[in-house]
Amino acid sequence: MSSLLNVDRQHNTSWQLNVARDLSPYLDPLILDWLCRSPETLVRLTEMYGSPLNIVWPHTVAPNLQAMAAVTASFGVETRFYYGVKVNKSQALLRAAVLAGAGADVSSIQELRDALRAGCRGADLCATGPAKTRDFLQELILQDAQIVVDSPQELQEVIELARNWKRNSTRVRILLRLRPDASRSSRFGMPSDEIIKVLPAVASCKQVTLVGFHFHLNGYAPEPRVNAFFDTLPLFTYARSLGLAPNIIDIGGGLPVQYVESESYQRWFSSQSSNDYRTGLVPSSFYPYGGELNAARWLKQFLAGQDPQGKTVSSWLHSEGLTLCAEPGRSLVNQGAISIFRVCRVAPETDKYSVIFVEGSSFSACETWFNSEFLIDPLHLAPVNKGEQFASGKAWIAGHSCLDEDVITNRLVYFRRLPQPDDLLIFTNTAGYQMDLLENRFHRHPTPTRLTALLNTSHNLTFSIDK
């Protein structure tokens, strides 16, 4: 059991939080208040646990789920949400999702075991992924989990395992994953004609029951997902003609998150140029950090989407008696973590910008490894030195490994006060595929510590190791 950390020790130095000029992030009120009122606590935690340091905030999860559930409830739609466990490695955030009422979307036997440890019932597990191992499938069957079947070969393996392991009246619950026409080059799922070919085998197997169909699309616009929804409906008709009774349509994940205020983001984004990057190259793709839709508004547009005859998604769900399922990951842990890097040194590189070296690597802030950028300015925590003048300026941020590619941001961030050694840079909203997706022990550095922030009964924040 992790012990609470006493972080009330006083420092002689006062610290101040500085907000950058261009892409200032949205920040949860509790986190912002803590950073403004108790910056010395964060300094102390970083001294104790090193840099980079990740802090997760489980209190953010339930409101995110409630906002999504409120939208589907307003349409009268029966809905089930499964937390995409792969989004990060935090057990505290997984536990918060389960306590809030979400199931768990797992893609490995390790994620399955962590979900069970977090209190998730086996029946509330949904398993996705294109190449599930035999051991994983066997454990899913034993736990009575819902399995999204990705291929005819996987279906055959599930049927064989079900015949060996299901000897009572219960059946293995499966969904067949559709590869929509918009994703023909994807390695996930089966085209509709292939699903039609395998449905008779499902109908003839007494140990398996088809509960529905699943699809997932890359991208964050609701319109392609609406089209894929309507592409899936004929499969229900055919399956029912075989005596099957599917009643679930699962639209996967990919519900968007707003990291930055939309208007200021669009203004910056539309005016960016090669001069904003130390490489002289603007990346070809970005996550929509300041898009106009958050997860709740996205769901509202999706449910209001219409077929060519004007019938909406929500109306089809009602008339077909379907339950809508989704696997939000990033959107369920929106505002769920911050990542702190200590500045090692700052060096002028040209007369126009500097480079900031931080203690840590881009494996803990990984967008550049995907030829993109994390388009959120870090917060800057620096000592208060009264009367001293500070230079402003632009800088890119590099890790401290020996890899030339170890770059946290190629973008030239404008700082009102250029950071100095031992200052802290705080990247916000890093719980979604950011803080620990690629973390490792390169150079034998320890894996970054992950702390959990919780309010105790006296409404004071306490911190413990996230295990």
Side-chain angles (χ1 to χ4, degrees):
M1 180 177 178
S2 54
S3 59
L4 297 179
L5 310 177
N6 181 359
V7 293
D8 292 331
R9 179 176 166 182
Q10 297 296 314
H11 274 59
N12 294 327
T13 303
S14 296
W15 294 75
Q16 182 179 43
L17 189 68
N18 301 283
V19 179
R21 181 189 68 182
D22 296 325
L23 295 171
S24 179
Y26 283 128
L27 194 55
D28 174 82
L30 176 64
I31 303 174
L32 178 60
D33 181 71
W34 177 69
L35 290 173
C36 292
R37 289 176 178 268
S38 307
E40 292 81 10
T41 300
L42 181 56
V43 174
R44 176 62 177 154
L45 288 171
T46 309
E47 289 174 354
M48 293 172 66
Y49 290 96
S51 169
L53 172 66
N54 298 311
I55 304 179
V56 300
W57 303 79
H59 77 278
T60 60
V61 175
N64 291 329
L65 182 60
Q66 291 162 3
M68 290 182 252
V71 172
T72 57
S74 71
F75 283 83
V77 171
E78 185 75 25
T79 312
R80 183 71 170 132
F81 293 100
Y82 296 87
Y83 171 50
V85 178
K86 57 184 165 288
V87 73
N88 61 61
K89 300 183 180 76
S90 170
Q91 190 68 13
L93 293 177
L94 172 54
R95 190 178 304 114
V98 172
L99 289 173
D105 165 31
V106 296
S107 298
S108 70
I109 196 168
Q110 291 79 14
E111 289 183 353
L112 180 154
R113 290 168 180 167
D114 279 351
L116 294 175
R117 187 161 61 94
C120 187
R121 299 185 311 139
D124 292 329
L125 295 170
C126 179
T128 58
K132 305 172 193 71
T133 66
R134 192 174 185 86
D135 287 346
F136 183 30
L137 288 172
Q138 183 172 297
E139 187 67 25
L140 290 166
I141 291 171
L142 291 174
Q143 293 294 340
D144 192 29
Q146 197 164 270
I147 303 174
V148 177
V149 175
D150 228 74
S151 66
Q153 295 77 21
E154 186 169 83
L155 175 62
Q156 185 59 40
E157 188 164 24
V158 169
I159 289 174
E160 290 174 3
L161 288 169
R163 284 172 175 159
N164 290 332
W165 289 91
K166 285 289 184 183
R167 300 189 184 277
N168 53 27
S169 59
T170 62
R171 294 185 173 194
V172 178
R173 296 174 298 135
I174 67 168
L175 295 90
L176 298 181
R177 179 165 179 170
L178 172 68
R179 184 194 305 159
D181 289 342
S183 301
R184 289 177 184 173
S185 61
S186 172
R187 63 191 176 97
F188 299 101
M190 296 171 274
S192 59
D193 58 346
E194 196 164 46
I195 289 180
I196 288 171
K197 289 179 182 178
V198 302
L199 278 173
V202 176
S204 65
C205 181
K206 296 180 180 179
Q207 290 79 25
V208 169
T209 183
L210 178 74
V211 296
F213 297 96
H214 177 287
F215 65 84
H216 174 78
L217 297 178
N218 292 326
Y220 302 95
E223 294 81 10
R225 207 77 61 96
V226 170
N227 294 334
F229 173 89
F230 292 125
D231 288 344
T232 309
L233 291 180
L235 296 175
F236 285 89
T237 302
Y238 181 69
R240 288 167 178 171
S241 74
L242 297 177
L244 298 166
N247 66 343
I248 290 173
I249 187 163
D250 191 323
I251 63 173
L255 282 65
V257 169
Q258 285 181 310
Y259 290 74
V260 182
E261 191 276 323
S262 182
E263 188 174 335
S264 59
Y265 175 84
Q266 296 299 338
R267 185 168 53 249
W268 183 92
F269 191 83
S270 62
S271 64
Q272 70 170 330
S273 70
S274 59
N275 293 327
D276 293 306
Y277 296 87
R278 63 109 184 181
T279 58
L281 299 172
V282 178
S284 59
S285 65
F286 299 91
Y287 183 87
Y289 292 99
E292 296 180 354
L293 297 179
N294 59 20
R297 287 197 288 271
W298 187 97
L299 276 170
K300 187 174 182 179
Q301 288 196 16
F302 171 77
L303 290 168
Q306 299 180 352
D307 67 10
Q309 288 71 45
K311 188 172 180 178
T312 65
V313 168
S314 61
S315 296
W316 273 105
L317 289 167
H318 287 297
S319 64
E320 293 293 312
L322 299 179
T323 296
L324 177 69
C325 291
E327 289 114 30
R330 189 194 302 253
S331 55
L332 202 52
V333 293
N334 181 26
Q335 297 293 330
I338 59 174
S339 298
I340 302 96
F341 291 80
R342 184 163 44 226
V343 175
C344 290
R345 60 179 53 87
V346 181
E349 194 158 89
T350 71
D351 59 352
K352 295 182 179 179
Y353 60 83
S354 302
V355 54
I356 299 171
F357 291 95
V358 296
E359 187 179 343
S361 78
S362 54
F363 295 121
S364 299
C366 59
E367 283 297 324
T368 54
W369 289 102
F370 299 98
N371 299 314
S372 190
E373 289 281 330
F374 193 51
L375 290 185
I376 302 172
D377 287 341
L379 304 176
H380 173 209
L381 197 60
V384 175
N385 297 313
K386 295 181 180 179
E388 188 173 343
Q389 297 295 315
F390 298 100
S392 59
K394 292 184 176 183
W396 59 284
I397 304 169
H400 67 171
S401 80
C402 67
L403 296 175
D404 207 26
E405 297 86 357
D406 185 9
V407 175
I408 293 174
T409 172
N410 286 301
R411 181 171 62 90
L412 300 174
V413 179
Y414 179 85
F415 291 93
R416 291 188 172 96
R417 172 181 172 178
L418 199 64
Q420 298 301 310
D422 295 324
D423 290 1
L424 300 180
L425 297 181
I426 306 164
F427 289 89
T428 64
N429 212 353
T430 56
Y433 300 109
Q434 185 69 12
M435 65 180 184
D436 57 15
L437 181 66
L438 299 180
E439 69 178 6
N440 58 53
R441 297 197 62 208
F442 187 52
H443 287 316
R444 306 191 187 187
H445 290 300
T447 302
T449 298
R450 189 172 57 247
L451 300 179
T452 302
L454 295 172
L455 282 171
N456 63 20
T457 55
S458 301
H459 296 284
N460 295 317
L461 279 170
T462 59
F463 299 85
S464 60
I465 303 293
D466 180 15
K467 293 184 178 179

Short mmCIF file of all heavy atoms in Angstrom, two decimals, residues 171 196 198-206 208-213 234-247:
data_model
loop_
_atom_site.label_atom_id
_atom_site.label_comp_id
_atom_site.label_asym_id
_atom_site.label_seq_id
_atom_site.Cartn_x
_atom_site.Cartn_y
_atom_site.Cartn_z
N ARG A 171 -22.68 -18.47 -22.55
CA ARG A 171 -22.03 -18.41 -23.85
C ARG A 171 -21.00 -17.29 -23.88
O ARG A 171 -21.09 -16.32 -23.11
CB ARG A 171 -23.07 -18.16 -24.95
CG ARG A 171 -24.05 -19.29 -25.15
CD ARG A 171 -24.95 -18.99 -26.33
NE ARG A 171 -25.80 -20.11 -26.69
CZ ARG A 171 -26.48 -20.19 -27.83
NH1 ARG A 171 -26.40 -19.20 -28.73
NH2 ARG A 171 -27.23 -21.24 -28.09
N ILE A 196 -20.54 -11.28 -43.46
CA ILE A 196 -21.71 -12.05 -43.91
C ILE A 196 -21.34 -13.53 -44.09
O ILE A 196 -22.12 -14.42 -43.76
CB ILE A 196 -22.27 -11.44 -45.21
CG1 ILE A 196 -22.96 -10.11 -44.88
CG2 ILE A 196 -23.24 -12.40 -45.89
CD1 ILE A 196 -23.37 -9.31 -46.10
N VAL A 198 -19.07 -15.23 -42.38
CA VAL A 198 -18.78 -15.95 -41.14
C VAL A 198 -20.00 -16.03 -40.21
O VAL A 198 -19.99 -16.82 -39.25
CB VAL A 198 -17.60 -15.29 -40.37
CG1 VAL A 198 -16.35 -15.25 -41.24
CG2 VAL A 198 -17.96 -13.91 -39.85
N LEU A 199 -21.03 -15.25 -40.47
CA LEU A 199 -22.19 -15.25 -39.57
C LEU A 199 -22.86 -16.62 -39.44
O LEU A 199 -23.29 -17.00 -38.33
CB LEU A 199 -23.20 -14.20 -40.01
CG LEU A 199 -22.90 -12.77 -39.54
CD1 LEU A 199 -23.86 -11.78 -40.18
CD2 LEU A 199 -22.97 -12.67 -38.01
N PRO A 200 -22.98 -17.43 -40.50
CA PRO A 200 -23.57 -18.76 -40.31
C PRO A 200 -22.81 -19.63 -39.31
O PRO A 200 -23.43 -20.40 -38.56
CB PRO A 200 -23.54 -19.37 -41.72
CG PRO A 200 -23.61 -18.17 -42.63
CD PRO A 200 -22.79 -17.12 -41.94
N ALA A 201 -21.47 -19.49 -39.27
CA ALA A 201 -20.68 -20.26 -38.30
C ALA A 201 -21.01 -19.82 -36.88
O ALA A 201 -21.05 -20.65 -35.95
CB ALA A 201 -19.19 -20.10 -38.58
N VAL A 202 -21.24 -18.53 -36.69
CA VAL A 202 -21.63 -18.02 -35.37
C VAL A 202 -23.00 -18.57 -35.00
O VAL A 202 -23.24 -19.01 -33.86
CB VAL A 202 -21.65 -16.48 -35.37
CG1 VAL A 202 -22.14 -15.95 -34.03
CG2 VAL A 202 -20.26 -15.93 -35.69
N ALA A 203 -23.91 -18.56 -35.95
CA ALA A 203 -25.27 -19.01 -35.68
C ALA A 203 -25.33 -20.50 -35.32
O ALA A 203 -26.21 -20.94 -34.56
CB ALA A 203 -26.15 -18.74 -36.90
N SER A 204 -24.38 -21.27 -35.83
CA SER A 204 -24.40 -22.72 -35.59
C SER A 204 -23.63 -23.14 -34.35
O SER A 204 -23.64 -24.32 -33.99
CB SER A 204 -23.83 -23.46 -36.81
OG SER A 204 -22.46 -23.14 -36.99
N CYS A 205 -22.96 -22.20 -33.69
CA CYS A 205 -22.15 -22.53 -32.52
C CYS A 205 -22.95 -22.25 -31.24
O CYS A 205 -23.31 -21.11 -30.97
CB CYS A 205 -20.85 -21.74 -32.51
SG CYS A 205 -19.78 -22.11 -31.09
N LYS A 206 -23.20 -23.28 -30.45
CA LYS A 206 -24.00 -23.12 -29.24
C LYS A 206 -23.24 -22.46 -28.10
O LYS A 206 -23.86 -22.03 -27.12
CB LYS A 206 -24.50 -24.49 -28.79
CG LYS A 206 -25.44 -25.17 -29.77
CD LYS A 206 -25.88 -26.52 -29.26
CE LYS A 206 -26.83 -27.19 -30.25
NZ LYS A 206 -27.27 -28.54 -29.77
N VAL A 208 -21.26 -19.74 -28.42
CA VAL A 208 -20.99 -18.34 -28.74
C VAL A 208 -22.30 -17.63 -29.03
O VAL A 208 -23.20 -18.20 -29.68
CB VAL A 208 -20.05 -18.24 -29.97
CG1 VAL A 208 -19.97 -16.80 -30.47
CG2 VAL A 208 -18.65 -18.72 -29.60
N THR A 209 -22.40 -16.38 -28.58
CA THR A 209 -23.57 -15.58 -28.91
C THR A 209 -23.12 -14.23 -29.47
O THR A 209 -22.22 -13.58 -28.91
CB THR A 209 -24.49 -15.38 -27.69
OG1 THR A 209 -25.65 -14.65 -28.10
CG2 THR A 209 -23.80 -14.61 -26.57
N LEU A 210 -23.71 -13.85 -30.57
CA LEU A 210 -23.38 -12.56 -31.19
C LEU A 210 -24.22 -11.47 -30.52
O LEU A 210 -25.45 -11.46 -30.63
CB LEU A 210 -23.68 -12.60 -32.69
CG LEU A 210 -23.42 -11.28 -33.43
CD1 LEU A 210 -21.92 -11.04 -33.60
CD2 LEU A 210 -24.12 -11.26 -34.79
N VAL A 211 -23.53 -10.54 -29.83
CA VAL A 211 -24.26 -9.47 -29.15
C VAL A 211 -24.29 -8.18 -29.98
O VAL A 211 -25.05 -7.26 -29.66
CB VAL A 211 -23.68 -9.19 -27.76
CG1 VAL A 211 -23.86 -10.40 -26.86
CG2 VAL A 211 -22.22 -8.77 -27.83
N GLY A 212 -23.44 -8.10 -31.02
CA GLY A 212 -23.48 -6.89 -31.82
C GLY A 212 -22.32 -6.76 -32.78
O GLY A 212 -21.58 -7.72 -33.04
N PHE A 213 -22.16 -5.54 -33.29
CA PHE A 213 -21.10 -5.22 -34.25
C PHE A 213 -20.32 -4.01 -33.76
O PHE A 213 -20.86 -3.14 -33.05
CB PHE A 213 -21.69 -4.97 -35.63
CG PHE A 213 -22.38 -6.16 -36.22
CD1 PHE A 213 -23.76 -6.31 -36.09
CD2 PHE A 213 -21.66 -7.16 -36.86
CE1 PHE A 213 -24.42 -7.42 -36.62
CE2 PHE A 213 -22.30 -8.27 -37.39
CZ PHE A 213 -23.68 -8.40 -37.27
N PRO A 234 -27.26 -2.84 -42.01
CA PRO A 234 -27.70 -4.03 -42.75
C PRO A 234 -27.18 -5.34 -42.15
O PRO A 234 -27.81 -6.39 -42.34
CB PRO A 234 -27.13 -3.80 -44.16
CG PRO A 234 -27.00 -2.32 -44.28
CD PRO A 234 -26.61 -1.85 -42.91
N LEU A 235 -26.07 -5.29 -41.44
CA LEU A 235 -25.54 -6.50 -40.82
C LEU A 235 -26.48 -7.01 -39.73
O LEU A 235 -26.60 -8.22 -39.52
CB LEU A 235 -24.14 -6.24 -40.25
CG LEU A 235 -23.06 -5.91 -41.27
CD1 LEU A 235 -21.75 -5.55 -40.56
CD2 LEU A 235 -22.84 -7.08 -42.23
N PHE A 236 -27.13 -6.10 -39.03
CA PHE A 236 -28.11 -6.51 -38.02
C PHE A 236 -29.29 -7.25 -38.68
O PHE A 236 -29.75 -8.28 -38.17
CB PHE A 236 -28.62 -5.29 -37.24
CG PHE A 236 -27.64 -4.74 -36.25
CD1 PHE A 236 -26.72 -3.77 -36.63
CD2 PHE A 236 -27.62 -5.20 -34.94
CE1 PHE A 236 -25.81 -3.25 -35.72
CE2 PHE A 236 -26.71 -4.70 -34.02
CZ PHE A 236 -25.80 -3.72 -34.41
N THR A 237 -29.74 -6.72 -39.80
CA THR A 237 -30.86 -7.35 -40.51
C THR A 237 -30.51 -8.76 -40.94
O THR A 237 -31.30 -9.72 -40.74
CB THR A 237 -31.26 -6.51 -41.73
OG1 THR A 237 -31.59 -5.19 -41.31
CG2 THR A 237 -32.43 -7.13 -42.47
N TYR A 238 -29.33 -8.93 -41.52
CA TYR A 238 -28.93 -10.27 -41.98
C TYR A 238 -28.72 -11.21 -40.81
O TYR A 238 -29.15 -12.37 -40.84
CB TYR A 238 -27.65 -10.17 -42.82
CG TYR A 238 -27.21 -11.53 -43.33
CD1 TYR A 238 -27.95 -12.21 -44.29
CD2 TYR A 238 -26.06 -12.14 -42.84
CE1 TYR A 238 -27.56 -13.46 -44.75
CE2 TYR A 238 -25.65 -13.37 -43.29
CZ TYR A 238 -26.41 -14.05 -44.25
OH TYR A 238 -26.03 -15.29 -44.69
N ALA A 239 -28.05 -10.74 -39.75
CA ALA A 239 -27.81 -11.60 -38.59
C ALA A 239 -29.13 -12.07 -37.98
O ALA A 239 -29.28 -13.24 -37.59
CB ALA A 239 -26.98 -10.85 -37.55
N ARG A 240 -30.11 -11.18 -37.91
CA ARG A 240 -31.40 -11.55 -37.33
C ARG A 240 -32.14 -12.55 -38.22
O ARG A 240 -32.92 -13.39 -37.72
CB ARG A 240 -32.22 -10.30 -37.09
CG ARG A 240 -31.68 -9.47 -35.91
CD ARG A 240 -32.27 -8.07 -35.84
NE ARG A 240 -31.76 -7.34 -34.67
CZ ARG A 240 -31.95 -6.05 -34.44
NH1 ARG A 240 -32.64 -5.31 -35.32
NH2 ARG A 240 -31.46 -5.48 -33.35
N SER A 241 -31.88 -12.48 -39.53
CA SER A 241 -32.52 -13.47 -40.43
C SER A 241 -31.99 -14.87 -40.19
O SER A 241 -32.62 -15.86 -40.58
CB SER A 241 -32.30 -13.06 -41.89
OG SER A 241 -30.96 -13.31 -42.30
N LEU A 242 -30.80 -14.98 -39.55
CA LEU A 242 -30.21 -16.28 -39.24
C LEU A 242 -30.61 -16.77 -37.86
O LEU A 242 -30.12 -17.80 -37.40
CB LEU A 242 -28.68 -16.18 -39.33
CG LEU A 242 -28.08 -15.83 -40.69
CD1 LEU A 242 -26.56 -15.69 -40.58
CD2 LEU A 242 -28.44 -16.87 -41.74
N GLY A 243 -31.47 -16.01 -37.19
CA GLY A 243 -31.90 -16.39 -35.85
C GLY A 243 -31.05 -15.81 -34.75
O GLY A 243 -31.26 -16.12 -33.56
N LEU A 244 -30.09 -14.96 -35.09
CA LEU A 244 -29.26 -14.29 -34.09
C LEU A 244 -29.99 -13.04 -33.59
O LEU A 244 -30.93 -12.55 -34.23
CB LEU A 244 -27.91 -13.92 -34.69
CG LEU A 244 -27.05 -15.11 -35.15
CD1 LEU A 244 -25.89 -14.65 -36.03
CD2 LEU A 244 -26.53 -15.89 -33.95
N ALA A 245 -29.55 -12.52 -32.44
CA ALA A 245 -30.25 -11.38 -31.85
C ALA A 245 -29.27 -10.31 -31.38
O ALA A 245 -29.23 -9.94 -30.19
CB ALA A 245 -31.12 -11.84 -30.69
N PRO A 246 -28.44 -9.75 -32.28
CA PRO A 246 -27.50 -8.70 -31.86
C PRO A 246 -28.25 -7.43 -31.47
O PRO A 246 -29.23 -7.04 -32.12
CB PRO A 246 -26.66 -8.49 -33.12
CG PRO A 246 -27.55 -8.88 -34.25
CD PRO A 246 -28.39 -10.02 -33.72
N ASN A 247 -27.78 -6.77 -30.40
CA ASN A 247 -28.45 -5.55 -29.95
C ASN A 247 -27.48 -4.45 -29.52
O ASN A 247 -27.87 -3.50 -28.86
CB ASN A 247 -29.41 -5.87 -28.79
CG ASN A 247 -28.67 -6.33 -27.54
OD1 ASN A 247 -27.50 -6.71 -27.62
ND2 ASN A 247 -29.35 -6.29 -26.41
#
